[in-house]
């Protein structure tokens, strides 16, 4: 192919099964761990008792089957026997010791729905389908899943199969379905039909089903509409047919999981065997200090973009000792696509320095290890093809990249308030529309915001497939006349719209107030809340515990009033009418592992179950919000907010407001303050000068090195800053380490964050101001009247702000650490 392929997409493709390799590798390759959830290779039998019945025995069995089914008309029985004769006569044309072998040889499985065209004229289609159903009932043939998913079996046939094959097992499944109030009749039918297909394909009973059987059945569903109904798998777990430690969902079970080091290397088809073993050994040595995603990308840089490229362009190469000409040609090719077999892997790379640095580190490690263990590594020590001159442009490239990032933040930061307002307004509008529709009887019309809509009438018996309502509110748009080519113009799922609007608002609030990475936000659970008690005052400060992610370091973030409200609403939204948050498992796409089932805050309904949110879903919600709000950049182009942009804006505003860089680094979880400095996009020279002057004053008072890990006393001082801001009506929001700049006019001051608990106190102040305004007006103190009225207007604004954050929506009680009880 001549098309260019993104190397990232290439690296994320499902790995091919690794080739068999000799065990003797010169001592370089340690024993590989067992791959996580390998692709099942199940050997299905092609001969069993029922499949070896003779022609006459089969016809007699069909006759007995119809009689046992209650068929009393001899004409109907003869018809079924004739249909069976037609199918059996066709199968006898093919070789095999059993009917199953003849079925496979006929090509019916591959033909799928059109299999009858192989056997007879179109007028025999119904006869053959009926005869195939009888062979399934008698367990004479066991078709592949491709045939079972493609053909349309009647509900009556599947009911008879369940009765004949495993009546006790399916009775248990029926009881489990009855106990699940969330299941609609369509969900129940989908689950039982899938289990029936598995018995038809596997033979045996439900109790014989294993985890590889489930993985095989699910992967064969590719393109089948029932793929989004995985309830059959959870039924097997609940019935204890699958072991308790089996993956929580079929999606978790069917994913490939982490590749071994051997598989990472072998996917690139290295020709030179000794070099292949060297890369395996090298990556095993580096793996201890790297996460899975990092080691996977390192393997791609070294094996694919370095050595495999050399093998393609320098046939016969077997040594790491490269000539100057070979090294020069390889470095030249880094600026263009890398040839890999018949494919072109990779577009022109903007940053070839990451590959150069990886290769240079590879050679440096081999030289260093050769001194420590010469018997193992000395053979491979060689001069590095990457020298300091090759990396001379890296500093310039980093500066350009940093400049582009800073310019992006300068453009997005002024747009953030518009995004926040749009998220709040969209959420409120979606909820109002949903509530208005929910209060309207089905089939009736209502008007909302000048638009007339009609509450849709939907079936609850499963007869209308995807139109069945699972507690959702649908509306039709009569104004479109039902003639629109776009289905969403005629029918809308207001429950889904309200849910998406809520999560867009929640994500914006949490991202902008925490500055956390997106994977850290999505890993927040109901047990992530802890508390800190100030030693001086005993005041309890709620804090959010961020679990280790990129740097493997836990950290705590102070939960402000607005963030507390956001978390409270998220908990209330997820909990619903339940006593506790549902437990779900989250898939880490970078590490390719599933977490245990935990009460994640960012979870949503999916089918009849729930699923943890993914990063791609977050990006989709943010894009929809920007599009709905019509937020554009200065040039008129649509704005683009990524989750990481909120983190950069958070760092910029923190540093610009006077927070020391090393404290900001602590909050963001950076190992080095140099990383934090690259996040902070300053806006003008005044901000730079003010910040530098602040640092100079700090250094004069503290001669010790400023840019370092904060000490325990400094961290306590930072937390104690919150006690110094305590006021009559709430807390002061001024920057850390600064004094009051508004002459302590707290009622009027925009930095005052009102405490909802002081609502009555503020109302008393407003009443007092009313009395003073009346007195001043009576006495003619007009100058006093203007000032008092200004104070009263500010007090009213604070009162409104209190009411906005005063609702208790179920935030857990803050203690030294939340009680990990079931109610948590």
């Amino acid at each position: 192919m001549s098309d260019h392929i993104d190397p990232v997409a290439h690296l994320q493709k499902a790995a091919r099964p690794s080739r068999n390799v000799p065990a003797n590798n010169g001592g370089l390759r340690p024993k590989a761990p067992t791959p996580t959830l390998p692709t099942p290779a199940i050997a299905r039998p092609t001969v069993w008792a029922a499949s070896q019945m003779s022609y006459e025995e089969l016809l007699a069995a069909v006759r007995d089957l119809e009689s046992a089914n209650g068929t009393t008309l001899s004409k109907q029985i003869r018809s079924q026997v004739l249909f069976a004769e037609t199918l059996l006569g066709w199968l006898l044309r093919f070789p095999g010791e059993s009917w199953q072998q003849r079925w496979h040889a006929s090509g019916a499985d591959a033909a799928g729905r059109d299999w009858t065209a192989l056997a007879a004229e179109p007028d025999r289609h119904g006869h053959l389908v009926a005869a195939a159903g009888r062979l399934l009932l008698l367990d004479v043939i066991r078709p592949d899943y491709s045939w079972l998913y493609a053909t349309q079996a009647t509900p009556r046939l599947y009911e008879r199969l369940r009765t004949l094959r495993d009546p006790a097992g399916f009775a248990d499944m029926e009881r489990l379905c009855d106990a699940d109030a969330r299941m609609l009749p369509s969900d129940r039918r989908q689950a039982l039909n899938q289990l029936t297909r598995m018995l038809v394909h596997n033979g045996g009973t439900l109790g014989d089903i294993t985890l590889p059987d489930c993985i095989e059945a699910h992967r064969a569903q590719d393109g089948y509409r029932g793929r989004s109904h995985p309830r059959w798998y959870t039924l097997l777990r609940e019935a204890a047919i699958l072991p308790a430690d089996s993956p929580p969902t079929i999606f978790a079970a069917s994913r490939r999981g982490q590749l071994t080091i051997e598989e990472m290397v072998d996917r690139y088809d290295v020709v030179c065997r000794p070099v292949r073993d060297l890369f395996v050994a090298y990556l095993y040595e580096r793996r201890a200090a790297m996460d899975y995603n990092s080691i996977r990308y390192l393997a791609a840089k070294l094996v694919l973009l370095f050595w495999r490229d050399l093998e393609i362009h320098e046939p016969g190469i077997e040594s790491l000792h490269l000539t100057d000409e070979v090294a020069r040609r390889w470095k030249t090719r880094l600026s263009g696509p890398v040839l890999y077999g018949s494919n072109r892997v990779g577009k022109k790379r903007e940053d070839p320095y990451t590959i150069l640095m990886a290769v240079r580190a590879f050679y440096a490690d081999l030289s260093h290890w050769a001194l420590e263990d010469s018997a193992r590594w000395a053979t491979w020590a060689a001069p590095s093809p990457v020298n300091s001159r090759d990396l001379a442009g890296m500093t310039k490239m980093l500066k350009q990249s940093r400049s582009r990032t800073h310019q992006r933040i300068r453009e997005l930061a002024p747009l953030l308030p518009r995004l926040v307002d749009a998220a709040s307004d969209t959420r409120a509008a979606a909820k109002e529309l949903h509530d208005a529709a929910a209060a309207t009887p089905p089939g009736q019309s209502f008007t909302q915001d000048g638009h007339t809509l009609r509450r849709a009438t939907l079936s609850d018996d499963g007869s209308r497939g995807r139109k069945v309502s699972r507690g959702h509110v649908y509306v039709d748009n009569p104004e479109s006349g039902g003639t629109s080519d776009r289905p969403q113009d005629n029918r809308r799922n207001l429950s889904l719209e309200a849910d998406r609007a809520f999560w867009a608002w929640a994500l914006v609030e949490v991202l902008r107030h925490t500055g956390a990475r997106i994977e850290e936000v999505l890993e927040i659970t109901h047990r992530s809340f802890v508390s800190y008690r100030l030693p001086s005052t005993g005041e309890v400060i709620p804090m959010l515990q961020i679990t280790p992610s990129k740097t493997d370091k836990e950290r705590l973030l102070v939960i402000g009033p607005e963030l507390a409200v956001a978390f409270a609403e998220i908990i209330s939204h997820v909990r619903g009418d339940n006593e506790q948050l549902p437990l779900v498992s989250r898939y880490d796409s970078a590490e390719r592992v599933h977490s245990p089932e935990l009460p994640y805050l960012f979870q949503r309904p999916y089918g009849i179950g729930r699923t943890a949110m993914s990063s791609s879903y977050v990006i989709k919600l943010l894009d929809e919000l920007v599009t709905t709000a019509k937020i554009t950049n200065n040039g008129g182009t649509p704005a683009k907010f990524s989750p990481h942009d909120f983190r950069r804006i958070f760092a910029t505003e923190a540093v610009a407001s006077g927070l020391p860089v090393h404290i900001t680094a602590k909050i963001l979880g950076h190992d080095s303050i140099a990383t934090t400095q690259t996040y902070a996009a300053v806006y003008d020279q005044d901000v730079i000068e003010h910040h530098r002057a602040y640092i100079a004053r700090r250094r004069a008072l503290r001669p010790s090195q400023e840019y370092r890990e904060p000490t325990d006393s400094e961290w306590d001082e930072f937390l104690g800053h919150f006690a110094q801001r305590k006021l009559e009506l709430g807390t002061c929001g001024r920057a850390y380490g600064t004094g009051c700049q508004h002459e302590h006019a707290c009622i009027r001051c925009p930095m005052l964050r009102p405490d909802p608990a002081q609502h009555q106190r503020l109302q008393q102040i407003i009443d007092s101001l009313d009395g003073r305004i009346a007195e001043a007006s009576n006495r003619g103190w007009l100058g006093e009247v203007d000032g008092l009225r200004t104070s009263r207007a500010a007090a009213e604004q604070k009162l409104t702000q209190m009411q906005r954050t005063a609702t208790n929506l179920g935030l857990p009680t803050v203690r030294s650490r939340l009680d990990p009880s079931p109610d948590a």
Side-chain angles (χ1 to χ4, degrees), residues 701-753:
L701 296 175
R702 296 183 179 179
S704 59
Q705 181 68 24
E706 180 71 23
Y707 297 119
R708 52 177 168 74
E709 183 77 7
T711 63
D712 293 340
S713 61
E714 287 177 326
W715 187 246
D716 291 338
E717 178 186 348
F718 168 68
L719 295 175
H721 165 67
F722 296 97
Q724 298 175 2
R725 298 186 307 174
K726 190 67 176 176
L727 302 172
E728 174 190 15
L729 296 176
T731 57
C732 179
R734 67 182 183 272
Y736 170 71
T738 62
C740 179
Q741 300 179 6
H742 302 96
E743 300 180 356
H744 299 282
C746 299
I747 289 292
R748 302 183 184 183
C749 181
M751 303 302 293
L752 174 63
R753 293 180 177 176

Side-chain angles (χ1 to χ4, degrees), residues 19 196 249 254 290 341 383 445 462 527 636 700 729 819:
R19 302 188 301 270
T196 306
T249 65
S254 63
M290 303 176 71
S445 298
R527 301 169 184 172
L729 296 176
D819 182 12

